[in-house]
Amino acid sequence: MRVAFLGLGIMGQAMASNLAKAGHEVTVWNRTPGTMVEGAAVAPTPAAAAQGAEVVWLCVSDTDAVQQVIFGKDGVEASLGEGMIIADSSTISPSATVKFAERVAAKGVAWVDAPMTGSKIGARDGTLVFIVGGDEGPIERLKPLFAAMGKKIFRMGETGKGQATKLAMNLQIALIFEGFAEALTLATKLGVDAQQLLSLIESTMVRSGVVEYKAPFIMQRDFTANFPLRLMHKDIRLTLEAAKEARVKLPGLETVEEIYEMATEDGHQDLDYAATLTLLEKWAGVQVKGKAA
Ligand code: NA7
């Protein structure tokens, strides 16, 4: 398929590369020029990339970035035509998604929100899980593209429901990780070996995908970004906004948001969100490590 891929960050570059490898005709654009994708053409603007494309796939930071890329100066809107599909893998506001979709629908363009989970490694290996909202027809047409970048897609309902579900997923990741980080900090302070605690977790119902994924990085004190703290913080804020719009109270997430705020003040925004652990460690006056470390 002819695909315009816009946004070549940690996730986008790997995703566009997998599309090109699968034989699709890919044209890429990134706000900051210079990022290349093997096998893909480069366009100078979003409008130029989208010219003649069947699908415009986005993977940019946040709601404002999506708005600018689609509706801003030199935006995709100028190149939209009947039958095109916009697929958005950025994690953004569900209510803004619905508004964006309504605006492009006037030109006969379908909007599929397709945020994903699987992190940097999933993007690289083409094993992302897509959490999708939109009409069944366009989603069906996108199947070869989903297959090139991911291992599974879950259609959660109409446009916007993918984003709503993604927020509900990241809410859990943030809270599960916070529980894990607090447990590690307390156990360490009380003299329990972290590696032994991990072995116990693995053998009990406390085990989780989040813990399994993050534990090796923590034990090696590797806080380089798989999923940057600033983006998890953005998702937490989006979730709290969506909750406010829907008049839902999320007291646990509100507290965790403050920790991300303080981690940002400490300059950790470009590290992995696992670096929130270092705040708890600082307050407790300990550092989590196994006997071998
Ligand atoms: P990154 O690595 O921070 O990449 C963000 C991308 O978004 C990058 O290409 C940015 O371009 C682009 N960006 C940011 N703001 C804008 C604006 N205003 N206009 C155009 N492009 C913009 O994030 P990830 O790849 O990890 O994640 C992307 C999304 O997936 C995000 O929503 C996550 O929550 C999930 P730059 O190179 O800075 O010029």
Side-chain angles (χ1 to χ4, degrees):
M1 290 179 95
R2 286 190 311 280
V3 187
F5 201 103
L6 315 179
L8 304 173
I10 296 180
M11 301 296 285
Q13 189 184 19
M15 293 163 76
S17 163
N18 281 333
L19 286 177
K21 270 189 215 145
H24 296 289
E25 209 181 299
V26 182
T27 301
V28 296
W29 170 84
N30 195 52
R31 178 181 59 175
T32 308
T35 312
M36 306 299 284
V37 170
E38 210 183 312
V42 180
T45 63
Q51 197 63 52
E54 295 160 88
V55 175
V56 176
W57 207 293
L58 296 170
C59 189
V60 292
S61 303
D62 52 24
T63 310
D64 285 348
V66 171
Q67 173 142 21
Q68 277 166 29
V69 169
I70 304 290
F71 303 111
K73 185 172 174 291
D74 298 324
V76 167
E77 195 174 34
S79 304
L80 290 178
E82 180 85 32
M84 278 169 76
I85 304 172
I86 295 178
D88 182 19
S89 281
S90 328
T91 300
I92 69 164
S93 153
S95 55
T97 294
V98 171
K99 285 190 195 124
F100 296 158
E102 281 167 3
R103 183 158 161 186
V104 301
K107 296 198 167 184
V109 174
W111 189 290
V112 172
D113 45 319
M116 69 256 159
T117 180
S119 234
K120 186 175 154 181
I121 296 168
R124 185 198 62 196
D125 297 348
T127 56
L128 293 167
V129 173
F130 288 95
I131 307 166
V132 177
D135 289 343
E136 279 170 12
I139 292 171
E140 195 56 39
R141 280 175 57 204
L142 294 176
K143 287 235 165 108
L145 306 182
F146 281 124
M149 298 184 285
K151 60 177 179 187
K152 264 194 174 155
I153 76 162
F154 287 86
R155 179 178 181 268
M156 306 309 296
E158 291 310 314
T159 303
K161 300 293 188 286
Q163 298 292 359
T165 309
K166 174 71 195 281
L167 297 184
M169 295 297 282
N170 276 12
L171 178 161
Q172 294 174 77
I173 295 176
L175 293 187
I176 291 167
F177 184 78
E178 180 60 21
F180 178 48
E182 290 188 12
L184 281 174
T185 307
L186 177 68
T188 302
K189 185 78 179 188
L190 297 180
V192 175
D193 178 65
Q195 197 63 60
Q196 274 183 276
L197 176 64
L198 286 175
S199 306
L200 175 65
I201 290 174
E202 275 165 29
S203 312
T204 65
M205 65 181 275
V206 178
R207 73 181 179 275
S208 78
V210 176
V211 168
E212 225 168 81
Y213 190 97
K214 289 298 178 193
F217 292 101
I218 287 174
M219 297 316 280
Q220 289 161 31
R221 308 295 298 172
D222 176 2
F223 295 113
T224 50
N226 269 292
F227 184 37
L229 194 148
R230 65 186 158 78
L231 289 182
M232 181 62 109
H233 193 192
K234 176 217 44 160
D235 289 356
I236 292 172
R237 287 202 187 115
L238 276 176
T239 308
L240 292 173
E241 273 167 38
K244 201 171 169 193
E245 285 169 18
R247 302 184 61 79
V248 171
K249 192 123 189 72
L250 302 176
L253 196 65
E254 279 172 22
T255 306
V256 169
E257 198 273 330
E258 286 173 27
I259 293 171
Y260 280 72
E261 191 70 56
M262 287 182 262
T264 305
E265 280 166 19
D266 274 10
H268 296 332
Q269 62 276 7
D270 292 322
L271 295 179
D272 194 84
Y273 71 89
T276 48
L277 170 72
T278 62
L279 254 82
L280 303 172
E281 292 177 326
K282 186 173 83 175
W283 296 331
V286 291
Q287 192 178 92
V288 171
K289 50 181 185 284
K291 275 198 183 112

